[in-house]
Amino acid sequence: MTHKDKSTGFKTLDVFLISLTHHIHDVYTSFLAPIQVLILEKLSINYTLFGLLSVIQRLPTLLNPLVGILADKVRIRYLMIVAPSLTAVSMSLIGLAPSYSFLVILMLVSGISSTMFHVPTPVMIRLIAGNRTGRGMSFYMVGGELARTLGPIVILGAIDLWGLEGTFRLIPAGILASLILFFRFRHVDLRKRIPHDGAQHNGYTATLKKYLPVLLIIGSITLSRGVMKSCLTYYLPGYLESTGSSRWMAGISLSVIFLSGTAGTLLSGTISDFIGRRNTLLIVSIVSPLLMGLFILAKGSFTLPLLIVMGFFLLAPTPVFLAIINSLKTDHLPFVNGLYMTSNFLFNSITTLATGYGFDHFGHQTTFIFAAFAALMAIPAALNINKIH
């Protein structure tokens, strides 16, 4: 029987199970970055082409609004249920990829399955979190950030045990996640459970027009912080190895960032329920670039402590964004959630490619400095949150 907090309507067990399957799913999607150097060496590609892999993996996110519309009309939960298995298969085969084009196909498949998972699940969290949407989104995002903490350890450990081409042995956990979703949520119909307000029966075009300001403000914060986030979550292993760190240290650095980021995502959504979304985002937007500047100047023993603190603030905005989006009063919440994820993809893709290009043509140090200054632009955007929400 699902435990439910009667005062808030928060269904603890269901929130936990969705967060757990989110965790398992995203462990697989975090396999690529930690083995960056191995992929560069095996396939003889540069940082720009490696960054393109991330864009290709996120490319199906462009279909998010369509998936959101389908969630209004069909039983999209079955696509959500099968998604962890598809992601597990595609990402566990990257070690066997004989060419860049084959790796592109694997990234595309994992991107499609990731889209199938990430559009409906935040909406489901909204349904089972009662009046604690921020708290529910924090739990949900903790599953994802813990995955990015564990993912580098899992893939590097698997390579140590079985070699780069033996990572296919990691597939079963994804199948387990699909089974959990099937047995617990196969009867949940998002079409029936989303609250409807008679005054809100607008078409999709009208919905887009109404909530475009929300998406633009959130998008400007994402874009401003994007190069900094790419530096620290995607290209960090290559940077550290270029400065003499071991492969394990470079890979573990991602785990450090995402482990501390887990604390940030756990607390930020809950804090935003009490001090407001704007105040939470403003604090994060001020502190993050300052920490990035210190990281650029830091040497030796200061690097690890700074990574811990930076991770806390680096990943904190996401549950706040999700809480904002999933608190909107609309009949077409999956559609709006899909629009948010699509814009998130576009801005993250731009910054990921820009960061890779910067590393190839201007070097790590210059790119890191640019990232710190660009992140300051999130401050005026955060100040405008109350005007659109």
Side-chain angles (χ1 to χ4, degrees), residues 82-320:
V82 77
S85 294
L86 289 178
T87 301
V89 171
S90 56
M91 293 304 295
S92 296
L93 293 178
I94 59 176
L96 287 168
S99 64
Y100 184 77
S101 58
F102 190 86
L103 194 55
V104 164
I105 293 171
L106 292 179
M107 292 301 102
L108 192 58
V109 172
S110 70
I112 293 170
S113 57
S114 185
T115 293
M116 288 159 45
F117 183 86
H118 285 103
V119 171
T121 45
V123 179
M124 194 169 287
I125 287 288
R126 181 256 179 102
L127 296 176
I128 61 181
N131 61 1
R132 288 288 181 264
T133 303
R135 182 184 179 195
M137 293 305 168
S138 282
F139 274 79
Y140 176 76
M141 289 307 301
V142 162
E145 303 314 335
L146 277 177
R148 281 172 276 281
T149 299
L150 185 61
I153 298 173
V154 170
I155 190 65
L156 292 172
I159 290 171
D160 275 357
L161 283 174
W162 307 309
L164 184 59
E165 297 185 350
T167 55
F168 67 90
R169 293 180 174 87
L170 296 170
I171 291 174
I175 297 173
L176 174 63
S178 289
L179 290 174
I180 292 172
L181 290 171
F182 176 77
F183 286 111
R184 188 69 188 183
F185 300 105
R186 68 186 185 277
H187 298 303
V188 176
D189 193 340
L190 294 179
R191 298 171 300 172
K192 298 176 182 177
R193 298 284 300 279
I194 295 174
H196 287 265
D197 181 342
Q200 293 294 327
H201 282 283
N202 299 317
Y204 293 109
T205 302
T207 301
L208 171 60
K209 183 178 179 180
K210 180 176 181 179
Y211 294 112
L212 186 60
V214 181
L215 297 170
L216 288 176
I217 292 293
I218 291 175
S220 6
I221 297 174
T222 301
L223 185 62
S224 301
R225 294 168 53 84
V227 176
M228 178 179 66
K229 186 175 180 181
S230 294
C231 283
L232 296 174
T233 61
Y234 197 66
Y235 295 102
L236 187 61
Y239 168 72
L240 290 177
E241 286 206 33
S242 73
T243 59
S245 297
S246 67
R247 181 182 305 156
W248 262 102
M249 181 59 204
I252 292 301
S253 68
L254 289 176
S255 292
V256 172
I257 282 279
F258 286 117
L259 182 59
S260 59
T262 299
T265 55
L266 177 62
L267 293 174
S268 64
T270 303
I271 289 172
S272 74
D273 283 337
F274 295 97
I275 71 170
R277 316 297 186 206
R278 173 186 176 274
N279 291 337
T280 305
L281 291 173
L282 188 58
I283 291 170
V284 169
S285 298
I286 292 171
V287 173
S288 292
L290 296 178
L291 290 172
M292 184 68 166
L294 288 175
F295 180 75
I296 294 168
L297 298 173
K299 305 293 179 185
S301 58
F302 290 101
T303 301
L304 189 58
L306 278 170
L307 283 175
I308 294 172
V309 182
M310 281 195 303
F312 182 91
F313 288 95
L314 183 69
L315 305 176
T318 306
V320 183

Side-chain angles (χ1 to χ4, degrees), residues 307-368:
L307 283 175
I308 294 172
V309 182
M310 281 195 303
F312 182 91
F313 288 95
L314 183 69
L315 305 176
T318 306
V320 183
F321 292 156
L322 284 170
I324 291 172
I325 293 296
N326 286 277
S327 294
L328 298 174
K329 292 183 168 103
T330 172
D331 280 347
H332 306 303
L333 188 57
F335 172 66
V336 178
N337 193 58
L339 288 172
Y340 159 69
M341 291 187 174
T342 298
S343 64
N344 197 49
F345 155 76
L346 290 172
F347 292 130
N348 280 319
S349 297
I350 291 169
T351 54
T352 298
L353 286 175
T355 306
Y357 183 87
F359 282 2
D360 284 333
H361 293 85
F362 304 108
H364 296 90
Q365 190 79 356
T366 302
T367 306
F368 267 61

